[in-house]
Amino acid sequence: MAYFIQRLLSMAVTLFLISIITFTVTNILPGDVAMMIMGTQSNPAALANLRENLGLNDPLVYQYGRWIFGMLTGDWGNSLLFKQPIGPIILQKMTASALIVLLSMTIALTLAVPLGVWSAVYKNRWQDTASSSVSILGVSLPDFFWGIMLILLFARALGWFPSSGFVHPNEDFLMALKHAFLPSLALGLGLMAHLTRMTRATMTGILSQEFIRVARAKGLAEKTVIWQYGLANAIGPVMTVAGLQMGYLFGSIIVMESLFNYTGMGWLTYQALLNRDMPLIQATVFVIAAVVMLVNLIVDLLYPFFDPRIQLK
Amino acid sequence: MSERNKLSSKLDTQVDDPIVSLDHLRVEFETDGGTVVAVNDISFKVFPGETVCLVGESGSGKSVTSLSLMRLVEFGGGKITGGKMLLARDGKKTANLSEVDVDTMRSIRGNEIGMIFQEPMTSLNPVFSIERQLTDGLRLHTNLSASETREKAIELLEEVRIPDPEKRLRQYPHELSGGMRQRVVIAMAMACRPRLLIADEPTTALDVTIQAEILSLINRLKRETGMAVLFITHDMAVVAQMADRVVVMYQGNLIEEGTVNEIFSAPKEEYTKALLAAVPQLGQMAGTSLPSPLNIPGASATVKPTSGDIGIEKKTLLEVKNLVTRFPVYGGIFRRKVANVHAVENVSFTIDRGETMALVGESGCGKSSCGRSILRLVEPESGQIFLDGKNIISLNGTELRSARRDMQMVFQDPYASLNPYMRLREQIAEPLNNFGLAGRSEVDDIVHDILEKVELPTSFLRRFPHELSGGQRQRVAIARAIVVNPSLVITDEAVSALDVSVQAQVLNLMMSLQDELGLSYLFISHDMAVVERVSHKVGVMYLGRLVEVGSRSQIFENPQHEYTRTLMAAVPIADPKKRNISNDMSFKPIPSPVFPVGHTPENPIYEEIEDGHLILRN
């Protein structure tokens, strides 16, 4: 419990710093909210009037205070682009992205863990070389390349999956999955490469430990030794890296969702940036940071279940 | 050959059939540098109810032999390329382990042959409970129900004398001490009542009291179950205590085989004689007052007994007064200091010029922290340290740096203490350049000179550390320490990682350097027999405190403190006629030196029973 409180406190501090940075950066950028609303050719007097009404002439500290108070109390303001309250927009887009993030992570882990273990078991043999080559290919080619390839193959040529669009899981779960699948696969392939390397390195270390030899000396079958005795020790480190990859993933979805015209957080961030929708930019950055931190906190809280040596205190 | 062997060949009776017989075993490893023959040609037998010790130095092939018996050697890239390993099986046909298929081998492993390994800290899977690890062998090899397996597991823990077995089953390995873990590992190996137990250096990583307990446990289990034990070790003292018969190995070959008495009282081969001569024996130095080099047959007889008289008048070099070193333990939301590890608690002693003072004790007793505190590698909390009259504690950073020229340190692991990217010339010259002690032209002369002193050929100057053996590396570490001409060298377990014959050479080198250069040593070690050999004075540490200090003969011939006596009783003696490991030894575990903040320990009260012989009385 003390650990949990400590982590929440440090998360609050980090979020506070992030809020200051996003707020400052968006204010330094040329052009302000009033200009965005009225357009560049607008009447200077009306512009000044709007600035006064929006409180843009107040000291920055006041403006920040108002904004952060709103964020904390649930009043996130209106998007300039969508002319709607930001809160509900983000909630909806977050659901869409959660689907992609979870799906791509699942794809990455189900491919990476067996491949990494396989590599470690056959270390420095052809199996290892093969798996390393696949990994290197995954890392060296950018996500959007995989995206384009997948569209060409699965959407255009085979027609198994839609090439773009988003369906809410509440409407039709199967269709939602179908729409999320290709962008998730493209993201998952990039993620997989890192996770395979990580699993291989961790498992290589574990398999050289004495308890593996002890397990074999008991007469246990090789599959038990590797997939139970060995892998149980690798779950913690692999999950930690997977958690850290979340940040990377939220960066990647900006490109991937735009490519597949999948209207999630990534797409939203891109639209917000494109249209200089300051309130929306601030809110999305803030929410993404919070979500990434939360996921990592959850991974850390789960750690004692993977490894009894870890005590959270 | 032993009586038993003759008998069995004559009568060919069931009773005396060997459990395993190795017949011209050959094991090879494929490496990048070509084929390496780890075991060349080994034949020996193990009979029911006997303990056979497989003894040899690193690289002798003793572990590879034992791993081959379990066919575990293949997992490390080894290959059995010749010979037979016949295992007599209960009610089944004799199996040749060199050829059996994987499934048969798996039904033998952990069932008919049990095995325990060296490192209790890593022998258990950290993420599985003790119960799971103890019962999975039973589930595999027997048809017991879940509740029966659990009962059996509790029984096994009781058998290896683990208190609170039911509670232990729920625990994880990290919650147990090293000795307890090794007991669990033994219980695991014993689970299916194997007819042969292979123990591969099972006590090498343990403290001497725990070693004594584990050895006595293995002896008791052997007696109670009638199983045979194949005991692999490098430690001749352990061999003397445990073996019925001994097989001596060297570089993959069998050198000599015989009963333990034959090997120890009348070794036939030169190698066996050398091995035995290199082993310091506790009690061997009784009646002498000065350190004395070890006999190394074959080596030149130039090592003369150290004189102890080095032409300098007896003068105190190092004075340590009331030294206290504590390490903070942090906890809580704000990571505040919640407790202290009392590593060194009010320790005082002096070392004269040209004298060796040994600090002995078990792991965690504070002996290493004490050595590091003197160099201020860890900052002492209080106390005073005077080196040659200079107050070390009061020095600032720059002064301390130059003061360290006079006190150098040699660490335990010569693999880790040398920079792998530096050639020997740079390694040895580095301290000189650090302190600006020699001009460019002089450096080479000094390095050559030092290399000669530590008895390494000058052709080594261009070598990297990985091109040297462990003993050679430790010589380099010593060269680095003495090149700046220090008056005090602190050696922290400097010979513990070395093979006995190499250990003897390094110890002799240290003693002759002392003679030649008038060095003082603070010799930190856990090995009582080595300490007896090399030291003038001995301090015994326990829980951060010096419990007894005195001259070598006072401590070894007249130990007064209870802990010193416990320690002595646990040291195995390298003589099969003096077996001191009884059948059920159990020592009090060492309590924790962690105390809450603000805890003030009592001031130590010492009683001086003889001139210079102090005993802690509280």
Side-chain angles (χ1 to χ4, degrees):
Chain A
M1 198 57 205
Y3 173 81
F4 187 65
I5 294 168
Q6 192 190 332
R7 281 297 300 267
L8 283 184
L9 281 178
S10 83
M11 219 175 118
V13 173
T14 318
L15 277 179
F16 172 69
L17 291 176
I18 286 174
S19 72
I20 288 181
I21 294 168
T22 41
F23 187 81
T24 316
V25 169
T26 41
N27 273 287
I28 288 170
L29 291 176
D32 64 3
V33 174
M35 185 86 85
M36 292 298 131
I37 295 173
M38 309 269 292
T40 38
Q41 308 301 319
S42 55
N43 177 348
L47 203 58
N49 199 14
L50 184 62
R51 282 208 176 104
E52 190 58 41
N53 283 342
L54 290 172
L56 296 180
N57 293 335
D58 295 345
L60 272 183
V61 186
Y62 276 37
Q63 293 189 44
Y64 172 76
R66 250 199 325 265
W67 175 67
I68 196 76
F69 182 76
M71 288 302 286
L72 293 176
T73 50
D75 174 17
W76 294 9
N78 281 326
S79 158
L80 306 179
L81 177 65
F82 298 99
K83 314 267 189 292
Q84 278 174 20
I86 290 174
I89 300 180
I90 287 194
L91 190 68
Q92 198 222 350
K93 304 298 174 200
M94 206 65 206
T95 320
S97 287
L99 194 61
I100 282 202
V101 166
L102 288 177
L103 200 56
S104 60
M105 198 49 96
T106 313
I107 292 170
L109 283 172
T110 40
L111 292 174
V113 171
L115 206 56
V117 171
W118 197 55
S119 264
V121 171
Y122 294 101
K123 200 177 157 217
N124 298 335
R125 308 251 289 275
W126 68 265
Q127 292 92 333
D128 185 20
T129 318
S131 129
S132 297
S133 314
V134 171
S135 302
I136 292 293
L137 202 68
V139 195
S140 26
L141 293 171
D143 297 325
F144 65 83
F145 171 80
W146 292 116
I148 294 166
M149 284 294 141
L150 292 175
I151 290 176
L152 287 177
L153 181 65
F154 289 107
R156 286 279 175 78
L158 297 169
W160 293 354
F161 294 97
S163 66
S164 72
F166 161 71
V167 173
H168 198 278
N170 285 350
E171 289 167 31
D172 183 344
F173 191 68
L174 198 69
M175 275 314 279
L177 278 184
K178 270 193 155 182
H179 278 89
F181 185 74
L182 286 187
S184 302
L185 185 59
L187 286 170
L189 288 174
L191 273 182
M192 179 198 83
H194 290 284
L195 290 171
T196 307
R197 305 298 295 169
M198 176 66 196
T199 311
R200 178 186 181 273
T202 313
M203 276 302 276
T204 305
I206 292 166
L207 290 179
S208 66
Q209 298 232 26
E210 193 121 296
F211 64 79
I212 291 295
R213 206 150 53 146
V214 172
R216 284 177 181 142
K218 284 195 245 184
L220 296 176
E222 203 49 23
K223 64 173 196 293
T224 318
V225 172
I226 289 162
W227 294 99
Q228 292 182 28
Y229 270 69
L231 193 56
N233 282 276
I235 293 173
V238 171
M239 289 307 282
T240 304
V241 173
L244 292 173
Q245 296 276 17
M246 291 299 281
Y248 158 82
L249 206 50
F250 273 99
S252 305
I253 57 171
I254 295 181
V255 178
M256 203 54 71
E257 289 186 351
S258 303
L259 181 67
F260 283 88
N261 202 19
Y262 186 92
T263 49
M265 276 305 271
W267 176 86
L268 184 69
T269 313
Y270 182 62
Q271 296 301 323
L273 286 168
L274 210 62
N275 295 292
R276 294 246 182 108
D277 189 343
M278 299 301 175
L280 192 55
I281 293 174
Q282 287 168 345
T284 47
V285 170
F286 195 74
V287 168
I288 289 175
V291 167
V292 170
M293 273 190 270
L294 207 60
V295 170
N296 279 292
L297 176 64
I298 291 169
V299 169
D300 287 353
L301 290 177
L302 286 175
Y303 222 105
F305 295 100
F306 309 137
D307 189 339
R309 282 169 299 183
I310 309 293
Q311 281 181 2
L312 305 180
K313 57 180 177 191
Chain B
M1 279 292 118
S2 68
E3 281 301 303
R4 180 182 260 153
N5 248 340
K6 277 184 210 156
L7 204 70
S8 76
S9 59
K10 215 181 288 171
L11 301 173
D12 199 30
T13 54
Q14 189 100 46
V15 196
D16 275 320
D17 276 347
I19 290 182
V20 279
S21 45
L22 270 65
D23 193 16
H24 300 291
L25 177 71
R26 184 180 171 89
V27 185
E28 294 174 357
F29 283 80
E30 287 301 330
T31 67
D32 293 338
T35 307
V36 174
V37 181
V39 173
N40 185 25
D41 182 358
I42 291 286
S43 308
F44 66 89
K45 294 180 169 68
V46 182
F47 293 90
E50 73 168 347
T51 300
V52 174
C53 276
L54 209 51
V55 65
E57 297 184 281
S58 42
S60 64
K62 55 189 193 306
S63 282
V64 173
T65 306
S66 67
L67 289 172
S68 301
L69 258 174
M70 289 290 264
R71 286 280 295 278
L72 288 173
V73 76
E74 283 130 82
F75 294 101
K79 213 173 156 196
I80 297 165
T81 51
K84 283 189 257 184
M85 297 185 288
L86 298 176
L87 173 78
R89 307 183 71 189
D90 228 2
K92 286 181 204 154
K93 239 180 78 207
T94 299
N96 178 3
L97 300 183
S98 306
E99 284 166 1
V100 294
D101 58 85
V102 178
D103 287 338
T104 318
M105 199 58 231
R106 275 186 43 216
S107 71
I108 292 170
R109 275 187 211 135
N111 191 19
E112 291 169 59
I113 308 177
M115 186 157 182
I116 51 181
F117 296 90
Q118 178 169 353
E119 278 293 339
M121 302 320 256
T122 55
S123 282
L124 293 170
N125 193 329
V127 303
F128 289 164
S129 68
I130 300 296
E131 175 166 8
R132 168 150 192 200
Q133 301 191 55
L134 204 51
T135 54
D136 55 9
L138 288 167
R139 285 197 304 267
L140 190 71
H141 298 296
T142 66
N143 296 318
L144 298 177
S145 69
S147 63
E148 282 169 330
T149 0
R150 197 184 149 78
E151 267 168 48
K152 178 80 183 164
I154 293 173
E155 229 170 84
L156 283 164
L157 289 182
E158 277 165 356
E159 197 174 68
V160 295
R161 300 279 193 271
I162 288 184
D164 280 335
E166 270 151 79
K167 186 178 138 205
R168 302 292 177 200
L169 285 185
R170 288 191 304 272
Q171 286 185 317
Y172 287 88
H174 70 277
E175 297 171 78
L176 306 182
S177 68
M180 282 295 162
R181 288 188 212 188
Q182 197 64 317
R183 281 165 194 265
V184 172
V185 173
I186 294 174
M188 262 159 50
M190 297 294 298
C192 300
R193 286 283 168 264
R195 297 167 65 224
L196 173 67
L197 178 71
I198 301 176
D200 189 355
E201 302 265 11
T203 58
T204 306
L206 300 173
D207 274 328
V208 4
T209 54
I210 299 161
Q211 161 167 290
E213 288 177 9
I214 296 295
L215 293 179
S216 73
L217 171 67
I218 293 174
N219 268 341
R220 183 170 58 79
L221 291 173
K222 177 189 124 181
R223 207 186 52 235
E224 285 172 3
T225 63
M227 66 177 176
V229 179
L230 180 62
F231 197 105
I232 290 95
T233 182
H234 70 283
D235 187 338
M236 291 308 276
V238 170
V239 174
Q241 294 293 319
M242 297 294 287
D244 295 313
R245 284 193 305 123
V246 182
V247 173
V248 183
M249 285 183 71
Y250 177 68
Q251 293 192 342
N253 287 305
L254 189 145
I255 298 295
E256 192 169 356
E257 184 184 358
T259 66
V260 65
N261 286 324
E262 284 167 3
I263 294 289
F264 276 82
S265 52
K268 289 189 200 77
E269 302 296 325
E270 280 309 315
Y271 177 72
T272 316
K273 286 178 194 164
L275 203 57
L276 285 167
V279 181
Q281 272 188 42
L282 193 66
Q284 212 175 24
M285 300 285 288
T288 59
S289 60
L290 296 172
S292 151
L294 290 134
N295 298 310
I296 304 170
S300 57
T302 49
V303 226
K304 52 183 188 307
T306 50
S307 53
D309 174 23
I310 41 153
I312 313 169
E313 70 184 287
K314 203 169 147 77
K315 205 179 130 203
T316 303
L317 173 72
L318 177 75
E319 187 175 11
V320 176
K321 270 192 198 164
N322 309 103
L323 187 68
V324 176
T325 302
R326 291 176 190 160
F327 300 107
V329 178
Y330 297 100
I333 297 179
F334 299 105
R335 308 268 101 196
R336 269 184 310 209
K337 190 161 87 168
V338 291
N340 279 308
V341 180
H342 289 227
V344 181
E345 201 50 64
N346 220 324
V347 164
S348 310
F349 60 87
T350 62
I351 304 179
D352 286 345
R353 276 188 185 283
E355 187 180 65
T356 301
M357 157 109 184
L359 276 184
V360 290
E362 296 184 277
S363 41
C365 74
K367 55 189 191 301
S368 289
S369 299
C370 183
R372 284 159 196 236
S373 303
I374 290 169
L375 275 177
R376 279 177 65 193
L377 292 177
V378 293
E379 209 55 52
E381 189 147 310
S382 65
Q384 287 172 302
I385 300 162
F386 294 97
L387 183 75
D388 220 357
K390 192 188 280 172
N391 186 344
I392 300 294
I393 297 288
S394 67
L395 301 180
N396 66 26
T398 334
E399 291 164 345
L400 178 63
R401 199 174 113 84
S402 60
R404 282 193 184 138
R405 202 197 121 182
D406 277 332
M407 33 182 198
Q408 289 288 306
M409 193 145 181
V410 179
F411 295 91
Q412 172 170 6
D413 185 355
Y415 290 82
S417 57
L418 297 178
N419 185 336
Y421 296 101
M422 282 165 83
R423 291 175 196 276
L424 289 207
R425 195 202 156 274
E426 283 82 50
Q427 301 273 8
I428 299 174
E430 192 187 35
L432 289 172
N433 299 334
N434 260 346
F435 290 107
L437 293 179
R440 291 181 70 88
S441 54
E442 296 163 287
V443 170
D444 276 328
D445 290 342
I446 299 176
V447 170
H448 270 95
D449 195 41
I450 283 290
L451 216 54
E452 221 161 82
K453 279 206 173 74
V454 297
E455 293 155 19
L456 285 175
T458 42
S459 58
F460 275 28
L461 281 174
R462 295 193 52 75
R463 290 202 185 183
F464 288 102
H466 70 266
E467 298 172 292
L468 307 182
S469 70
Q472 288 167 342
R473 285 179 217 212
Q474 203 59 308
R475 284 168 194 271
V476 176
I478 292 173
R480 270 174 64 94
I482 61 170
V483 75
V484 293
N485 227 340
S487 46
L488 175 70
V489 177
I490 298 176
T491 64
D492 190 353
E493 300 277 10
V495 296
S496 304
L498 305 175
D499 275 328
V500 272
S501 59
V502 182
Q503 167 179 298
Q505 289 164 14
V506 173
L507 287 174
N508 285 356
L509 171 70
M510 284 174 61
M511 285 186 263
S512 73
L513 287 173
Q514 178 168 53
D515 228 24
E516 196 182 326
L517 307 171
L519 290 174
S520 299
Y521 290 117
L522 180 64
F523 191 88
I524 298 165
S525 175
H526 71 284
D527 189 330
M528 301 291 277
V530 166
V531 163
E532 192 194 15
R533 199 80 205 192
V534 302
S535 50
H536 299 86
K537 263 173 90 173
V538 179
V540 182
M541 282 189 78
Y542 177 73
L543 269 182
R545 309 174 98 176
L546 209 48
V547 295
E548 187 163 359
V549 62
S551 71
R552 198 262 320 280
S553 58
Q554 283 167 344
I555 298 292
F556 280 88
E557 288 161 43
N558 186 21
Q560 287 297 316
H561 195 274
E562 193 199 336
Y563 179 71
T564 316
R565 290 179 176 173
T566 307
L567 211 52
M568 302 272 195
V571 178
I573 298 169
D575 183 347
K577 295 191 185 82
K578 291 185 201 154
R579 290 207 165 165
N580 58 339
I581 304 295
S582 61
N583 275 321
D584 230 329
M585 286 183 116
S586 147
F587 297 101
K588 259 187 277 173
I590 297 178
S592 155
V594 180
F595 295 99
V597 176
H599 170 86
T600 12
E602 304 174 65
N603 273 331
I605 300 164
Y606 287 99
E607 183 187 345
E608 183 159 18
I609 59 158
E610 245 186 292
D611 185 29
H613 190 178
L614 301 173
I615 292 130
L616 185 70
R617 286 301 185 202
N618 61 337

